[in-house]
């Protein structure tokens, strides 16, 4: 547990730094690009992310979870990734103009052709990053990711302010890919892993076929509604909806993005040691929901000032969408555990079946809602999120034997924390006379009251998160002490 906690701490520092940069970049670019320009980038980026799934093809996950890692494994990982990257680059270049014509926006084609160049660079980082994840070497991973994120944000904001428009994001993506690959090689200067080899291509492709299919189905669920809204409504509607989703994903990214790189390697190691995955799943959900649910509740209550601060007044139409999506997403608190638990349990095919059962109907419902309004699309989250989580949990139950009653018990104290967090903010909103459009002072009071309510409830119910916070504090103090920093008072 000590190694895992330190890995989580380092991963959290990495991801929180990246999230801070994301927030700053979003704030700058929201004031630089119009909703229509944002919609252009969102459509192009959706196509690129679908292509990127085929490029990765689950190769990194294969390296992390395989029981025996040999030099040929890393060489095959690079070779397979590089060949798939070339294929995806060629496909994007061949279809860019057709995609642009479909949306009646020539600039989408330019963005796609420019971004396709990045597929030549990223494969050189893939085997090294996967190797570092397998070894739980999150100190080096944090440095790599921080440098890449800083490069991406810096280039994007600089070019956005200079008037490069949506292409600013693409140039940031290209620059970060170059930096990540160079720094990855500097961290592990082993040129031998880039010698072409197809020795383990067959098992890698067999694993990747399932893994990438899962990712593809999940990404299709996320991206296809945005692509469809571009035709059903408008590019401006796509921009507004995408920004609302970005704001709602901040709590999840702040939490699961820090845990996700650690969870799969840790669970895979636990499974190899014949450990109990059921208790790990329940405890992880209890810890995650204790933070995730209160944050989403606060976001829903303070959606108007959050949108105003993050995006600016031109995006205020996104606030009602944020409110609905944030509340609906509370049902997805355990979702980040589904894939790593099933993979660690040796049931990767179940991850695909879960996605195939839950997501196609979800896409259909979102598209139907898109024929009505953006508000209907946001409201559909109240149906889709519980449905998706119920399907996923059915497969998790079969894999590790967890029951609904155990899940309810693991969720009970977190629900109390969410309710306690909401008490003061709800009172402030009710007493303000301005509805959700709070001024600076009421907003500050709501935030302070929410934090106080969460802290008091955390202590009163003796939530296991309190023990983890203290353990992480001691780990952080230990890391600081080994670097010759001053000891923290009261921490042994």
């Amino acid at each position: 547990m000590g190694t895992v906690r330190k890995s989580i701490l380092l991963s959290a520092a990495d991801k929180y730094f990246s999230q801070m940069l994301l927030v700053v970049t979003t704030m700058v670019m929201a004031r630089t690009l119009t909703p229509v320009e944002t919609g252009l980038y969102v459509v192009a980026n959706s196509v690129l992310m679908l292509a990127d799934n085929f490029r990765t093809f689950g190769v990194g996950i294969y390296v992390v979870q395989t029981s025996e890692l040999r030099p040929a494994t890393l060489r095959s990982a690079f070779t397979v990734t590089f060949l798939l990257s070339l294929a995806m680059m060629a496909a994007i270049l061949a279809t860019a103009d057709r995609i642009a014509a479909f949306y009646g926006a020539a600039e989408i084609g330019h963005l796609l052709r420019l971004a396709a160049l990045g597929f030549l660079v990223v494969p050189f980082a893939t085997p090294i990053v996967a190797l570092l994840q397998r070894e739980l070497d999150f100190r080096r991973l944090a440095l790599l990711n921080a440098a890449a994120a800083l490069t991406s944000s810096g280039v994007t904001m600089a070019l956005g302010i200079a008037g490069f428009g949506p292409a600013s994001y693409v140039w940031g993506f290209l620059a970060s890919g170059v930096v990540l690959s160079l720094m990855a090689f500097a961290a592990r200067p082993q040129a031998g892993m880039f010698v072409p080899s197809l020795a383990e291509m067959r098992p890698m492709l067999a694993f990747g076929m399932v893994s990438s299919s899962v990712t593809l189905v999940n990404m299709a669920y996320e991206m296809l509604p945005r692509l469809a809204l571009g035709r059903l409504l408008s590019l401006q509607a796509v921009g507004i909806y995408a920004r609302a989703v970005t704001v709602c994903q901040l709590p999840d990214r702040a939490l699961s993005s820090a845990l996700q790189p650690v969870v799969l390697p840790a669970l895979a190691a636990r499974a190899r040691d014949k450990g109990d995955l059921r208790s790990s799943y329940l405890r992880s959900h209890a810890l995650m929901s204790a933070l995730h649910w209160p944050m989403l509740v606060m976001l829903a209550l303070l959606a108007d000032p959050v949108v105003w601060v993050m995006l600016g007044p031109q995006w205020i139409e996104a606030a009602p969408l944020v409110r609905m999506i944030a509340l609906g997403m509370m049902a997805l608190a355990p979702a980040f555990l589904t894939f790593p638990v099933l993979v660690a349990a040796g049931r990767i095919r179940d991850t695909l079946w879960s996605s195939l059962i839950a997501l196609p109907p979800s896409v259909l419902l979102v598209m139907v809602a898109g024929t009505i309004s953006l508000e209907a699309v946001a409201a559909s989250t109240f149906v889709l999120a519980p449905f998706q989580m119920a399907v996923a949990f059915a497969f998790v139950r079969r894999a590790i034997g967890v029951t609904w009653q155990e899940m309810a018990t693991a969720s009970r104290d977190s629900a109390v924390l969410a309710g306690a967090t909401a008490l003061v903010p709800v009172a402030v909103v009710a007493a303000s006379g301005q509805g959700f459009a709070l001024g600076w002072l009421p907003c500050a009071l709501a935030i302070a009251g929410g934090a106080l309510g969460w802290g008091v409830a955390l202590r009163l119910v003796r939530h296991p998160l309190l023990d983890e916070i203290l353990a992480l504090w001691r780990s952080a103090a230990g890391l600081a002490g080994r670097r010759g920093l001053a000891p923290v008072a009261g921490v042994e």
Side-chain angles (χ1 to χ4, degrees), residues 204-218:
M204 197 169 289
L205 291 181
F207 180 90
M209 184 67 70
V210 179
S211 176
S212 61
S213 296
V214 174
T215 307
L216 176 63
V217 173
N218 281 272

Side-chain angles (χ1 to χ4, degrees), residues 19-35:
Q19 289 304 307
M20 179 188 69
L21 291 176
L22 174 64
V23 170
V24 174
T25 303
T26 300
M27 293 175 68
V28 171
M29 297 304 289
R31 290 162 172 79
T32 303
L33 302 183
T34 66

Side-chain angles (χ1 to χ4, degrees), residues 315-477:
W315 295 93
I316 200 63
E317 292 178 67
L321 308 183
V322 169
R323 191 169 295 112
M324 289 185 282
I325 295 172
L327 292 176
M329 287 177 64
M330 291 180 69
L332 295 175
F336 82 107
L337 290 165
T338 302
F339 184 82
V341 163
L342 292 177
V343 170
R347 293 176 174 264
I348 187 171
R349 293 185 181 277
D350 283 356
T351 65
L352 178 58
W353 283 114
S354 173
S355 298
L356 289 175
I357 292 172
L359 298 186
S362 300
V363 171
L364 180 61
L365 180 56
V366 170
M367 290 183 177
V368 171
T371 63
I372 303 173
S373 66
L374 274 181
E375 289 74 14
V377 174
S380 68
T381 310
F382 290 107
V383 176
L384 301 180
F387 168 65
Q388 292 167 14
M389 198 60 245
V391 172
F393 187 68
F395 284 92
V396 170
R397 285 184 65 195
R398 187 172 69 172
I400 62 176
V402 66
T403 67
W404 283 103
Q405 183 177 356
E406 289 173 329
M407 197 65 173
T409 301
S411 305
R412 180 186 56 211
D413 289 345
S414 297
V416 173
L417 294 185
T421 301
L423 286 177
V424 173
V426 167
V428 170
V429 170
S432 69
Q434 305 174 44
F436 291 103
L438 300 178
W440 288 106
L441 184 58
C443 186
L445 181 59
I447 293 173
L452 179 62
W454 180 84
V456 171
L458 184 71
R459 185 61 181 256
L460 289 178
V461 301
R462 299 193 62 81
H463 198 283
L465 178 62
L466 183 60
D467 295 331
E468 289 297 321
I469 291 174
L470 295 175
L472 287 173
W473 180 264
R474 288 191 291 268
S475 295

Side-chain angles (χ1 to χ4, degrees), residues 52 55 114-129 144-156 168-186 194:
D52 190 63
R55 178 195 67 79
L114 181 61
L117 299 176
F119 285 79
L120 292 175
V121 179
V122 178
F124 290 91
T126 299
I128 299 176
V129 170
L144 298 183
N145 292 332
L150 188 61
T151 301
S152 177
S153 294
V155 171
T156 299
S168 306
Y169 278 107
V170 179
W171 282 112
F173 161 73
L174 293 174
S176 67
V178 172
V179 169
L180 179 62
S181 296
L182 290 175
M183 291 195 64
F185 185 74
F194 303 119

Side-chain angles (χ1 to χ4, degrees), residues 58-132:
V59 171
I61 298 174
Y62 177 86
V63 172
V64 170
Q65 62 82 48
T66 186
S67 58
E68 183 181 358
L69 186 65
R70 301 179 299 166
T73 306
L74 296 176
R75 291 171 56 193
S76 298
F78 165 73
T79 306
V80 169
T81 305
F82 189 74
L83 292 175
L84 290 172
S85 296
L86 290 178
M88 288 302 102
M89 184 182 72
I92 290 173
L93 292 176
T95 59
D97 288 335
R98 291 185 178 88
I99 294 172
F102 180 77
Y103 289 98
E107 191 169 356
I108 291 178
H110 169 66
L111 296 175
L112 290 173
R113 286 189 294 271
L114 181 61
L117 299 176
F119 285 79
L120 292 175
V121 179
V122 178
F124 290 91
T126 299
I128 299 176
V129 170
L131 181 59
L132 295 176

